[in-house]
Amino acid sequence: MTRIAAIQMVSSHDLQANLARASQLLQEASASGATLAVLPENFAFMGHKETDKLEIAETPGRGLIQDWLAQQAREFGLWIIGGSIPLLDHGLKLPFAACVVVDDSGHEQARYHKMHLFDVDLPGGESYRESNTLAPGLNPVVVDTPVGRIGLSICYDLRFPELYRDYAATGAEILSIPSAFTQTTGLAHWDVLVRARAIENLAYVIAPNQGGQHSNGRMTFGASQVVDPWGKVLGRLQNGTGVVLADIDLDQLRQHRQSLPCLSHRRL
Ligand SMILES: NC(=O)CC(=O)C(=O)O
């Protein structure tokens, strides 16, 4: 059994304040015995305008937020999945929303770019156009960690089950979904989608969310959670900042996959 932590935050436009709060929560996770912690989407920064993120964008492998991730991992002896930070690759006009995974020595082990961008007009009038300020990622990414094989994704990706099916087929045992789900869509869809991804893939899901009112006026849903392969919610936090802890038991996962082998019953 290995303990993991989903970190819930209410990030603002104050980068230093966000990193200081995240650090307290990572320390709490480590002191509670976690081996790996996942920070939510936009953990380091939620600007007033969508374009504000361009000001804090870093180049892959270099920058204040990536250095901070490495230092925190070393200090607390944690693997950290850094929900998302804007990373601008050479020659590109727009950054990726990148999920950077560092090991407990502070070395980067994987990097995933959010594949599905949140371009929506919701019935109540809320509109989002992530593709104005972000480039879409092209590839699924799995990473082997001391906790198990993890399939990486970010927020809106949650709505695309084929990504997680691909991860299950690649041997992923844990699905990581750091998010900043809106209050409106979270209320309607978050819990059911998170549990569905766990049940249909017989995988653990770790889904840390942003949860509260942000300095830009935006409301996010919270309800960060860890779900086991049978769909049981092992831990959940509705609002505000905090740490959700859960124990991963890969023997139990294998038993579930053996007794209900729907992953090998697929016909398409
Ligand atoms: N914020 C997102 O990327 C996605 C979201 O809120 C939703 O899918 O709903």
Side-chain angles (χ1 to χ4, degrees), residues 41 114 116-118 120 122 128 130 154-159 179-186 189 193 218 220:
E41 183 176 36
K114 186 176 187 176
H116 304 93
L117 298 181
F118 193 46
V120 301
L122 301 177
Y128 299 90
E130 282 191 335
I154 301 174
C155 200
Y156 188 51
D157 286 331
L158 172 61
R159 295 182 182 275
S179 299
F181 238 68
T182 74
Q183 169 69 20
T184 314
T185 56
H189 303 149
L193 287 174
R218 190 173 157 189
T220 47

Side-chain angles (χ1 to χ4, degrees), residues 1 8 14 17 20-21 25 30 36 55 84 98 105 127 129 148 166 176 188 203-204 232 244 253:
M1 287 246 255
Q8 182 161 298
D14 185 339
R21 185 70 187 114
L25 296 164
S30 168
L36 176 142
E55 286 163 26
S84 75
S105 307
S127 269
R129 282 287 174 284
D166 182 77
S176 166
Y204 284 92
K232 182 174 172 203
V244 177
L253 174 142

Side-chain angles (χ1 to χ4, degrees), residues 239-255:
N239 291 311
T241 62
V243 179
V244 177
L245 296 164
D247 292 327
I248 300 289
D249 182 348
L250 292 184
D251 287 337
Q252 199 180 57
L253 174 142
R254 284 187 269 275
Q255 278 166 25

Side-chain angles (χ1 to χ4, degrees), residues 25-89:
L25 296 164
L26 289 169
Q27 182 176 31
E28 187 181 327
S30 168
S32 306
T35 300
L36 176 142
V38 189
L39 292 163
E41 183 176 36
N42 301 327
F43 67 93
F45 184 76
M46 278 184 80
H48 288 288
K49 304 184 301 301
E50 281 302 314
T51 47
D52 288 352
K53 67 165 80 74
L54 303 175
E55 286 163 26
I56 61 130
E58 302 188 348
T59 51
R62 290 185 54 196
L64 185 149
I65 305 170
Q66 290 167 92
D67 290 350
W68 176 89
L69 274 176
Q71 179 271 326
Q72 296 287 301
R74 281 193 299 273
E75 181 170 347
F76 299 125
L78 276 173
W79 278 64
I80 303 177
I81 300 184
S84 75
I85 54 179
L87 286 193
L88 191 56
D89 255 327

Side-chain angles (χ1 to χ4, degrees), residues 33 70 124 126 129 140 160 195 226 265 267:
E126 274 171 89
R129 282 287 174 284
F160 300 85
R195 287 190 67 218
V226 180
H265 288 163
R267 293 170 62 83

